[in-house]
Amino acid sequence: MKRVKVESFLPLTRITLIQALMALLLVYLLFMSLEIPLIFKTGYGYEYGSVSGDGSLGYALPRSLLVDNDGAARTVFDPHKVVHRSPERRMRETKRVKRLSGLLFNETIFDASDIADEFSVLHKAAKEAWLAGKKLWEELESGKVQANLINNSNTADNRTERCPVSIALSGAVFSARNRIIELPCGLTLGSHITVVGSPRWAHQEKDPKIASLKEGEEALMVSQFMMELQGLKTVDGEEPPRILHFNPRLKGDWSGKPVIEQNTCYRMQWGIPLRCEGWSSQADEETVDGLVKCEKWLRDDDANSEDSKATWWLNRLIRPKRKTQFTWPFPFAEGKLFVLTLSAGLEGYHINVDGRHITSFPYHTGFVLEDATGLYLNGDVDVHSVFAASLPSSHPSVAPQQHLEMFRKWQAPILLDGKVELFIGIISAGNHFAERMAVRKTWMQHNLIRYSKVVARFFVALSGRKEINAQLKKEADYFGDIVIVPYVDNYDLVVLKTVAICEYGVHTVAAKYIMKCDDDTFVRVEVMLQEAKKVPRDRSLYIGNINFYHRVFRSGKWAVTYEEWPEEEYPPYANGPGYIISSDIAQFIVAEFQSHKLRLFKMEDVSMGMWVENFNSSKPVEYVHSFMFCQYGCTEDYYTAHYQSPRQMICLWEKLQQGKPHCCNVR
Ligand SMILES: *[C@@H]1O[C@H](CO)[C@@H](O)[C@H](O)[C@H]1NC(C)=O
Ligand SMILES: *[C@@H]1O[C@H](CO)[C@@H](O)[C@H](O)[C@H]1NC(C)=O
Ligand SMILES: *[C@@H]1O[C@H](CO)[C@@H](O)[C@H](O)[C@H]1NC(C)=O
Ligand SMILES: *[C@@H]1O[C@H](CO)[C@@H](O)[C@H](O)[C@H]1NC(C)=O
């Protein structure tokens, strides 16, 4: 390099050459003095929040996430930008929007004592939920709840001020709080949590899920614990998402060696685990903030592990210039105190133990730092203390309804009287504000929906919390895409929403086809129509990821009692996250429901399978099965993807707009 420069200066005199070199040196020095603080700021940047400029600290996201999300993060609810419309105009719009489901639920029919059949359990629950819902809805309509909402919003403001910069808990307090440390405002870049603890001694594991024993085998000795960053605030009544699951298995697992497993889990759907087994990550593998995902540690099958310490010293003494590395043992040992620090970097989470870097876990598209509102520890570990520090000082979205972005462009288009081909009913819950907003901003922007060839609506029941309902009503009034099914929400009664979808699709929209999906389902709208049109017009159809001959679980978390479902097998049924039926089937379902002949089962997808089977006995139904209606996550060229978090939705939509139906499961 230098030679080239000197050569180019050749025509100059010697003095000017020296001067030029001096100038070059000066420029270089100036550059150096500027460069160093620049590196500090953008590197492992604790200052990043203040650099972001717009002052909204919550969007001091890791850049990778900002890229995934494009401008979306910056357009989040801004009270100054809300489009205010005249009251007359709003009145007109409210009229055109049918907010309440037209489903008639006749409570009196279930008062009769003669219907003591096996299905009356669910009917009774439905009746109670419907009666309670009626009361809530009347209250909501009267405007009483509105005032309470104003009161509540004051307390919400107060909450935003309670963002402690650091939190310290002793082991005793931590245990008393069910081994959870709450981080009210989540994490931000540079936040770190330190756990001082010691792994317990191994015990015999009898849990068949962890150690499956064969006859005569001795019980396995197991010592393991997990540390999880969870999204506690997201939605109540659901399992919180596990944003980072860190699980050291001191005695190893099926691999037979100590291992650290890391993963994420959203709506009970686990990602691909990152397993660190003591080998350093490959040199060509992606790093996280320049750190490897897995550090090497001493394995007992390493050559001359015994004297590695001595070799290391020897190497240092004999060949001081050669770069040698000392290999440390597995970072956790039974009964040995450890100091673990989890920190939030630019590209991922870093875990250091006793001052050494151990693992790094890249951020996943589905989550942002502020979502991590709790740290949970469980398993064979005694926690002595937990400290969290450098936490964010404010939180832009403490209340979930603040995910709403009140812009006209996200409002539902007017329902035209023309022919609607497909109606999509999206099952949602009252407080799934962020999920609904993600759907509005992504696949509900499809041209087929914008031009009312396809209509999509959310189906939401009422919440026990009045402020949620008031917020929901406001949301429904503004966006015009919510149908409220007036019963008190209950997971076992989701089947009522399915019936309401059929009712709306038949009576309000008069669509040819009716589709049901969830608010974490990403739908390729045009593919839905294509698939439906493959079946001849005069045929009845049932399209989805169809299960044939599924047996009923009688034990475990999802157990179904004989009272609920007496048969040993389910009828063929399409998985719940996305299926399509023809309108004649929907009509049949609504008619049966209104005449109290419809059998209800708590699993809405099985119920649909049962109803379609009934219908099939009078008119044959075309069953179309495709795995592309993904039940678990996403596959390339999916028709529908499931378990997609709001951020993944935006990522999928962006890819789809480039013509690529690719997944956003992992970075
Ligand atoms: C409910 O059902 C009963 C008995 O079938 C009937 O007499 C009554 O009119 C129904 N009520 C409504 C509101 O449909
Ligand atoms: C707020 O609640 C209090 C009682 O909790 C009530 O007296 C007051 O009227 C409420 N404020 C508004 C604006 O409704
Ligand atoms: C905010 O909350 C604190 C503690 O909960 C309370 O003492 C304080 O009065 C509240 N402030 C306002 C303005 O409501
Ligand atoms: C639907 O009905 C036809 C004719 O009755 C029968 O052959 C077929 O097995 C039925 N399909 C299902 C899935 O029940």
Side-chain angles (χ1 to χ4, degrees), residues 165-317:
V165 171
S166 64
I167 303 170
L169 292 186
S170 67
V173 174
F174 184 70
S175 305
R177 295 189 184 173
N178 298 319
R179 296 179 137 201
I180 289 179
I181 177 169
E182 274 190 52
L183 313 163
C185 305
L187 298 177
T188 188
L189 218 60
S191 294
H192 48 95
I193 307 172
T194 298
V195 176
V196 181
S198 43
R200 294 194 190 132
W201 290 91
H203 61 94
Q204 290 198 338
E205 187 58 63
K206 300 223 174 73
D207 187 341
K209 266 182 288 183
I210 298 168
S212 58
L213 289 182
K214 291 194 192 85
E215 201 71 34
E217 241 178 355
E218 255 185 73
L220 274 176
M221 297 299 282
V222 169
S223 173
Q224 65 160 343
F225 66 94
M226 65 172 188
M227 178 180 78
E228 284 184 341
L229 270 178
Q230 298 185 340
L232 296 179
K233 282 250 174 61
T234 342
V235 169
D236 40 39
E238 270 175 26
E239 261 190 56
R242 302 153 198 234
I243 295 165
L244 169 69
H245 168 88
F246 177 85
N247 172 212
R249 300 170 181 174
L250 277 67
K251 289 285 170 190
D253 50 13
W254 45 268
S255 67
K257 303 269 177 260
V259 59
I260 298 176
E261 218 178 79
Q262 297 176 93
N263 210 337
T264 60
C265 181
Y266 178 72
R267 294 210 175 162
M268 299 185 292
Q269 177 66 20
W270 288 96
I272 300 157
L274 168 63
R275 283 173 67 86
C276 294
E277 307 192 43
W279 310 117
S280 182
S281 299
Q282 299 292 312
D284 57 352
E285 211 181 308
E286 173 199 39
T287 59
V288 185
D289 294 318
L291 296 166
V292 291
K293 288 181 188 165
C294 296
E295 295 285 354
K296 178 167 172 50
W297 58 71
L298 202 62
R299 292 166 57 102
D300 52 13
D301 53 1
D302 282 345
N304 44 25
S305 58
E306 279 298 304
D307 47 17
S308 72
K309 235 179 220 178
T311 339
W312 180 72
W313 276 110
L314 219 65
N315 276 337
R316 256 198 81 103
L317 288 172

Side-chain angles (χ1 to χ4, degrees), residues 419-422 510-514 533 537 581-584:
K419 294 250 184 311
V420 174
E421 303 252 1
L422 171 69
K512 276 186 218 151
Y513 310 106
I514 288 155
K533 285 182 172 171
R537 273 304 310 272
I581 54 171
S582 47
S583 61
D584 51 354

Side-chain angles (χ1 to χ4, degrees), residues 548 572 613 616-617 619-621 623:
F548 293 94
E613 192 181 44
N616 181 55
S617 59
K619 183 178 179 236
V621 175
Y623 282 71

Side-chain angles (χ1 to χ4, degrees), residues 79-85 90 406-409 478:
H80 306 293
K81 284 190 204 147
V82 176
V83 187
H84 288 289
R85 286 171 308 154
R90 203 175 288 158
M406 311 297 253
F407 298 122
R408 293 205 58 183
K409 62 176 170 177
Y478 187 83

Side-chain angles (χ1 to χ4, degrees), residues 129-140:
W130 210 277
L131 286 174
K134 212 164 144 187
K135 239 191 239 152
L136 281 174
W137 180 250
E138 276 159 14
E139 240 178 61
L140 205 58

